[in-house]
Amino acid sequence: MSHRLSRRRYIAGTGAALTLGTLAGCAGGDGGDGSSDDGGSDGDGGSEPGQPADDVPDEIDEYLADASGYDGTIADYTGEDEVTVAVGAGDVGFAFDPAAIRIDAGTTVVWEWTGEGGAHNVESAEGSASEFSSGDPVDSDSETFEQTFDAAGIELYLCSPHEANGMLGGIEVLE
């Protein structure tokens, strides 16, 4: 399981590096028309899924202020039918990865246990737009829990055994 997550991170990191290299080449100029069209960073669907964005909704940013693994950005997965979030990420396994995501209404989020950090669960938090729960905490690397979010809103969640350790997550669901 951890190899699969590492492979995903490698692919995402490689994609980000290639995108930055491409954008850097565009910024250097080639005697073109001087336009700033970069072919994908303007929300037209050309960017890679999961790219970080700085426009985190205040409700999520405040909720995740002390969360493990939260870097002040939100991973944009709009346009995707399904998004996977690692349960038990980080140095000691007390984080969700990514901690904050943006999705469209109708997207299914699949939480996938890494087997790190002990027994975990996924529970909606107070102030969340809907209620959801994976049930009792599970210590496994093969556990999954999925929830489809059909309505726009802010979804806040936590791992109840590790809430005090900052194991928190947030989802912005767009219409």
Side-chain angles (χ1 to χ4, degrees), residues 12-139:
T14 303
L18 290 172
T19 300
L20 288 175
T22 301
L23 292 176
C26 290
D30 62 357
D33 65 1
S35 72
S36 62
D37 184 12
D38 60 17
S41 64
D42 58 357
D44 65 358
S47 63
E48 294 291 320
Q51 291 299 308
D54 293 329
D55 59 336
V56 181
D58 290 340
E59 191 175 350
I60 291 177
D61 194 51
E62 290 169 12
Y63 180 72
L64 298 180
D66 296 322
S68 298
Y70 179 61
D71 64 0
T73 65
I74 188 166
D76 189 342
Y77 288 99
T78 54
E80 300 295 308
D81 294 330
E82 185 175 285
V83 176
T84 301
V85 174
V87 178
D91 293 339
V92 293
F94 293 158
F96 294 104
D97 185 25
I101 62 173
R102 174 177 292 136
I103 61 173
D104 296 314
T107 301
T108 299
V109 176
V110 178
W111 286 272
E112 204 170 80
W113 275 241
T114 66
E116 300 297 320
H120 302 294
N121 66 354
V122 177
E123 299 283 330
S124 57
E126 185 176 329
S128 185
S130 63
E131 290 187 27
F132 52 95
S133 172
S134 66
D136 291 332
V138 175
D139 184 6

Side-chain angles (χ1 to χ4, degrees), residues 135-161:
D136 291 332
V138 175
D139 184 6
S140 171
D141 67 353
S142 61
E143 183 73 17
T144 61
F145 167 67
E146 63 182 60
Q147 176 75 29
T148 301
F149 295 97
D150 292 319
I154 301 296
E155 305 289 349
L156 305 174
Y157 63 92
L158 55 91
C159 168
S160 58

